[in-house]
Amino acid sequence: DDERLERVVAKTVELFVPAAVLEGGCGFIDLPGNNDADPGSMRQIREGIERAGAVFVVLKRDIAGDNNTVKLLKDSGLLARALHADEPLKLVFLFNRELSQQLKISDIDTEAEAETRRALEENTRKKFKKMLSDVNRSAQNRQEPARTEEEIAQIVASTPMRAIYPMSHTACKLHTEFVEKNADNKALAEGVFSHSNMYWFSGVLDALNRDYYVRELGRLVTKTIPELLQKLQSGLDDAAHTDAGLPSKLVEMAQSWLKGANRLTGPFGTLVEDLRGKLRKLDTTGRVDNALFPRRTPVGFELTEQSPPL
């Protein structure tokens, strides 16, 4: 059909919009969902998940009774990546309540809708925990790296889940004349803004985007720079003990720059340590591991035990 032909002809379509969260080079990828019958959809989903630093799962209802979504999450490899010990995939579950035809804007700020939101999150967390446990058990049976039950419980508890009302939020933002018309309209808009979770969502995007670049800098500090340090040190050691033809004063000056007068560190190591400290302060998602920020040693870096949450 025409839609399938477009997928063959157009490999990617890129849209550029003036958004602060995209200024650092991050982007959004809209992946196929349950309503897409194209056989190539699963391949696209898998490729997208492999490239993603975070995945937003948009749902119409909780996943407890949604077998299609459960199957999609398992088959796509998303759950396995969420359990990855070194770089777990960050997941955010969003319940788009506006997909329900029965919902009216006046229903958003009601106790009945609040109870619906609570039930959506509670049921999804229970199902999500069971799904992760099943995938984790399969990994154990295959004698692959696996998580403990306590770690799975922590993952589930820390995974953001919120109901969203994006269209209602946008409507109240754009139709200022209607909102300012009377007290009832203002109260309606305030109720929407309080529960739409659009401000929260914007904060999550900003935090995830910032966290990604912090961790990329972390790799620079813990891998790239230490490897360079070791190569420089090795080269200088060879120059000091062999007839490399280099002036002895030049070798000594380079050695002092790397090690310093106290033979433990020098300007190079001090620079790395300062950057390491600044990166700790920049973390926005609540956890920095010593595996990413190791302790400096005389000749390189040594990994330490995992640090507690900040």
Side-chain angles (χ1 to χ4, degrees), residues 13-163:
V13 176
E14 295 186 10
L15 302 177
F16 297 87
V17 294
V21 73
L22 303 178
E23 288 177 356
C26 132
F28 293 98
I29 301 177
D30 185 16
L31 300 176
N34 286 331
N35 296 327
D36 203 316
D38 191 285
S41 296
M42 184 55 66
R43 176 182 55 81
Q44 291 179 329
I45 293 173
R46 285 182 178 276
E47 290 177 354
I49 289 175
E50 284 299 318
R51 296 171 56 189
V55 171
F56 297 88
V57 183
V58 183
L59 303 167
K60 182 178 180 179
R61 55 186 182 274
D62 65 71
I63 60 175
D66 190 349
N67 294 330
N68 290 332
T69 298
V70 169
K71 186 176 186 303
L72 180 64
L73 294 176
K74 289 182 178 179
D75 293 347
S76 64
L78 185 146
L79 297 176
R81 271 206 65 193
L83 290 170
H84 199 280
D86 295 330
E87 292 187 15
L89 180 68
K90 294 179 175 65
L91 294 179
V92 180
F93 288 92
L94 303 173
F95 310 105
N96 189 351
R97 291 288 296 140
E98 291 173 338
L99 295 177
S100 172
Q101 299 297 324
Q102 290 76 31
L103 184 76
K104 297 181 293 186
I105 192 170
S106 57
D107 296 333
I108 295 176
D109 190 20
T110 63
E111 184 56 37
E113 184 64 13
E115 180 58 35
T116 298
R117 290 192 289 267
R118 285 192 291 268
L120 285 170
E121 180 177 342
E122 180 180 352
N123 294 337
T124 297
R125 286 197 189 280
K126 288 181 180 178
K127 183 64 176 180
F128 183 45
K129 183 177 182 180
K130 184 180 184 306
M131 293 163 64
L132 288 178
S133 297
D134 291 344
V135 173
N136 194 62
R137 195 175 301 109
S138 297
Q140 290 175 329
N141 293 337
R142 296 190 300 270
Q143 296 183 336
E144 295 176 354
R147 295 296 196 104
T148 65
E149 287 300 317
E150 291 76 13
E151 288 175 328
I152 291 177
Q154 185 178 10
I155 293 173
V156 173
S158 62
T159 298
M161 298 184 186
R162 294 283 183 97

Side-chain angles (χ1 to χ4, degrees), residues 120-282:
L120 285 170
E121 180 177 342
E122 180 180 352
N123 294 337
T124 297
R125 286 197 189 280
K126 288 181 180 178
K127 183 64 176 180
F128 183 45
K129 183 177 182 180
K130 184 180 184 306
M131 293 163 64
L132 288 178
S133 297
D134 291 344
V135 173
N136 194 62
R137 195 175 301 109
S138 297
Q140 290 175 329
N141 293 337
R142 296 190 300 270
Q143 296 183 336
E144 295 176 354
R147 295 296 196 104
T148 65
E149 287 300 317
E150 291 76 13
E151 288 175 328
I152 291 177
Q154 185 178 10
I155 293 173
V156 173
S158 62
T159 298
M161 298 184 186
R162 294 283 183 97
I164 57 172
Y165 307 84
M167 298 302 294
S168 299
H169 181 101
T170 304
C172 290
K173 277 292 185 182
L174 293 178
H175 295 82
T176 54
E177 292 184 3
F178 170 82
V179 171
E180 299 294 333
K181 189 175 182 179
N182 55 54
D184 289 341
N185 291 354
K186 288 182 180 179
L188 178 68
E190 289 174 359
V192 170
F193 296 148
S194 296
H195 301 295
S196 69
N197 284 314
M198 288 296 99
Y199 298 125
W200 165 84
F201 182 57
S202 177
V204 168
L205 291 176
D206 184 61
L208 289 173
N209 187 40
R210 195 160 169 261
D211 181 67
Y212 169 77
Y213 289 106
V214 169
R215 293 186 181 280
E216 287 299 303
L217 286 173
R219 292 188 183 91
L220 178 67
V221 172
T222 61
K223 184 177 180 180
T224 306
I225 294 180
E227 288 177 355
L228 174 61
L229 176 61
Q230 290 177 349
K231 288 180 180 179
L232 289 172
Q233 187 63 64
S234 176
L236 288 173
D237 289 342
D238 291 341
H241 295 93
T242 61
D243 186 14
L246 294 176
S248 58
K249 288 187 177 181
L250 177 63
V251 175
E252 290 174 2
M253 182 176 66
Q255 288 279 17
S256 66
W257 187 76
L258 287 178
K259 290 186 176 181
N262 62 5
R263 310 304 292 173
L264 292 177
T265 185
F268 191 103
T270 301
L271 176 65
V272 173
E273 186 68 14
D274 290 343
L275 181 56
R276 176 178 176 268
K278 290 177 181 178
L279 285 171
R280 281 186 177 278
K281 296 178 181 179
L282 282 173

Side-chain angles (χ1 to χ4, degrees), residues 289-304:
D289 292 337
N290 274 342
L292 282 179
F293 299 93
R295 183 175 68 249
R296 188 168 37 122
T297 62
V299 285
F301 288 76
E302 176 184 275
L303 298 184
T304 60

